[in-house]
Amino acid sequence: MKKTIALVLVALAAASCTQTEKGAGIGAVSGAIIGGAITGDVRGAAVGAAIGGVSGAVIGNVTEQPGQCYYRDRYGRRYIDDCPR
């Protein structure tokens, strides 16, 4: 019963987040799992969480901007511009 209540509270908290916050959370959790699994230690999980959190926040931020797309130029720089029609 306690687990069910905890899951409901987490779901309600996540429902009130913006797309940027949701993206950062999902990215951080995924990065921590992958980083920990690959390296087998806490330091790898922490690095994975940091990288995943930043990446998820960037992707989530782009989804909050209707009509805007996320691009990368030939030098690897990222930018946001109007989507092609």
Side-chain angles (χ1 to χ4, degrees):
M1 185 66 175
K2 289 180 183 179
K3 289 181 183 179
T4 304
I5 293 171
L7 288 174
V8 168
L9 291 175
V10 168
L12 288 174
S16 64
C17 294
T18 65
Q19 286 298 105
T20 302
E21 293 166 341
K22 288 179 186 177
I26 292 169
V29 169
S30 301
I33 291 170
I34 293 169
I38 290 174
T39 63
D41 65 356
V42 175
R43 200 175 276 164
V47 170
I51 292 170
V54 170
S55 300
V58 168
I59 293 169
N61 187 27
V62 170
T63 61
E64 288 181 351
Q65 301 171 0
Q68 300 290 306
C69 290
Y70 172 77
Y71 298 100
R72 186 181 302 258
D73 67 8
R74 63 181 169 191
Y75 303 109
R77 296 179 295 213
R78 299 179 212 157
Y79 64 95
I80 300 170
D81 199 4
D82 292 333
C83 294
R85 297 193 185 243

